[in-house]
Amino acid sequence: KADLEAWMRRSGDGFFPVSFAEAAGDDIPVLYLLLAEGGAPESYRLDVARGKITVTAPDAAGLFYGLQSLGQLAERCGRRIPAVVIEDAPRFGYRGFMLDVSRHFRDKEFVERQLDLMARYKLNRFHWHLTDGAGWRIEIKKYPALTDIAAWRPYPDWEGWNFGGKRYCHRDDPAAAGGYYTQDDIREVVEYARALHIEVIPEIEMPGHSEEVLAVYPELSCSGKPYTDSDFCIGNEQTFEFLESVLSEVIGLFPSEYIHIGGDECPKQSWTSCPACQQRIRNERLEHENELQSYFVHRIEKWLNARGRNLIGWDEILEGGISKTATIMSWRGADGGVAAAKAGNQVIMTPNTHCYLDYFQTQEPERLEPLGIGGYVPVRKVYSFDPYDRLSSAEQSCIQGVQGNIWTEYIASFAHAQHMALPRLAALAEVGWACDRRDFGDFTRRM
Ligand code: ACM
């Protein structure tokens, strides 16, 4: 109740176009929020009648979503909300949005505005891409160099860094650009999200996309030299000690069921000539470097499972074989997700063909859009996404939901991020929520 009231008061500034009175009157309906047994999780019934508006739901999230729908009606109709009954429930339990804060750091206020936006569209999982080669963004008490150095670059933006030598600098360097979240910041964002019925899922990239870590802790790389490797050395036990220590602090900050460990685009090149990695391959009777990555992922997964958490990885973790319990995030199209579902693994669909919101939205980006990473994912394409494509009904039950991703190589400003997010994230939210979504014209009219 306190959460809902706080949200309504905060949103009364225009986001939720209503104001509050102490008592009901001729023109001021009473708002009832009722918890009642029965009904699917997150479902609600919204009943607008003369003098009385009632939201009924089996859980607090359902009440919250009923209020979102009421807010959308009010936004459209002003103070004269039509008499209506809406009974509604989400199609998927996982309706996600991912933000990359490595390529361009975003402060916690920016992140909280994205969470507000997510709540409005009834999205409920925030995947926070906290670490990558372009910068480490989360305070880890045991390893201060991650945020004293690996969070800072002597270039104002990602392009300068990427094409200018990929160097980091000390936070006190006059040219330092970047930043990180303190553990207090993280706790604040997690609590802010919780009150909006959003679970925050942290991603800590491993074993690839880790240039920033290996620049400051080069003993964890195959060469042992800074600015040389992108992948952790899997032959070295110190790698596991480091990652488990980092994850210990991470799980202390994030109560989420899932921890995302990345796993994408690991070139594995340094492993092929590394005596320690090759020794590991022989000792563990592995066939090749893909199986070495699987060995690594299994070991991290066991560690997480022993602490009550489940692992998510990008679809590359399928390549050397995965455990039954790992959840796959399908990004290189839907193929990885289809293969994982056929094997009985849980899947989150975020194929770059439909869900990459950093891709261009028009066929004339040079003329019509800010500089971007490439691709072409117009809103119509997002809206047309069928997460069940090519799956039998048994396999469909492995699909937990969908997610839109914003990678930020070229996205430095709030305005640009909004330009990429909307209206495509709204279209994807509808893919995640509605089963009977078919009419793009209707969607466009409502937008
Ligand atoms: C990814 O886009 N590399 C997951």
Side-chain angles (χ1 to χ4, degrees), residues 199-406:
E199 181 170 272
V200 184
I201 299 174
E203 179 183 355
I204 306 295
E205 268 276 10
M206 57 187 87
H209 278 276
S210 298
E211 292 92 336
E212 86 290 24
V213 177
L214 303 177
V216 295
Y217 296 109
E219 63 274 21
L220 305 177
S221 67
C222 294
S223 70
K225 297 197 206 67
Y227 294 111
T228 306
D229 297 320
S230 61
D231 308 338
F232 284 95
C233 174
I234 310 300
N236 184 352
E237 278 304 302
Q238 276 185 290
T239 290
F240 293 92
E241 194 186 308
F242 171 86
L243 289 170
E244 289 166 7
S245 298
V246 167
L247 289 173
S248 289
E249 295 192 32
V250 167
I251 63 179
L253 292 167
F254 293 91
S256 57
E257 176 189 353
Y258 287 110
I259 303 293
H260 199 308
I261 58 88
D264 58 316
E265 299 180 309
C266 180
K268 310 179 181 79
Q269 192 56 40
S270 60
W271 302 348
T272 60
S273 54
C274 168
C277 287
Q278 293 304 312
Q279 188 63 44
R280 179 81 78 192
I281 286 178
R282 285 191 294 277
N283 289 356
E284 300 293 331
R285 299 193 173 78
L286 307 174
E287 290 283 324
H288 41 54
E289 281 70 24
N290 281 350
E291 288 193 359
L292 186 59
Q293 173 154 343
S294 288
Y295 162 85
F296 168 86
V297 173
H298 287 293
R299 221 174 125 169
I300 296 292
E301 185 183 13
K302 277 208 195 84
W303 188 93
L304 286 173
N305 291 165
R307 285 153 188 82
R309 307 304 179 95
N310 291 322
L311 175 146
I312 302 180
W314 298 108
D315 59 57
E316 284 91 337
I317 72 167
L318 284 164
E319 284 165 6
I322 55 165
S323 72
K324 280 281 160 223
T325 44
T327 295
I328 293 296
M329 199 169 259
S330 189
W331 76 276
R332 295 177 298 176
D335 289 354
V338 169
K342 288 189 186 300
N345 284 81
Q346 294 292 300
V347 173
I348 297 150
M349 283 291 191
T350 179
N352 56 355
T353 49
H354 295 77
C355 299
Y356 268 41
L357 308 183
D358 58 327
Y359 285 10
F360 287 127
Q361 312 179 57
T362 73
Q363 284 177 307
E364 282 186 274
E366 297 80 4
R367 195 167 68 78
L368 298 171
E369 298 193 55
L371 188 63
I373 193 95
Y376 177 51
V377 178
V379 61
R380 178 191 290 276
K381 184 99 187 268
V382 178
Y383 196 75
S384 74
F385 180 45
D386 175 7
Y388 287 157
D389 189 30
R390 294 184 277 151
L391 296 175
S392 70
S393 58
E395 291 156 4
Q396 288 172 13
S397 66
C398 294
I399 306 299
Q400 293 193 3
V402 297
Q403 177 173 292
N405 296 340
I406 294 196

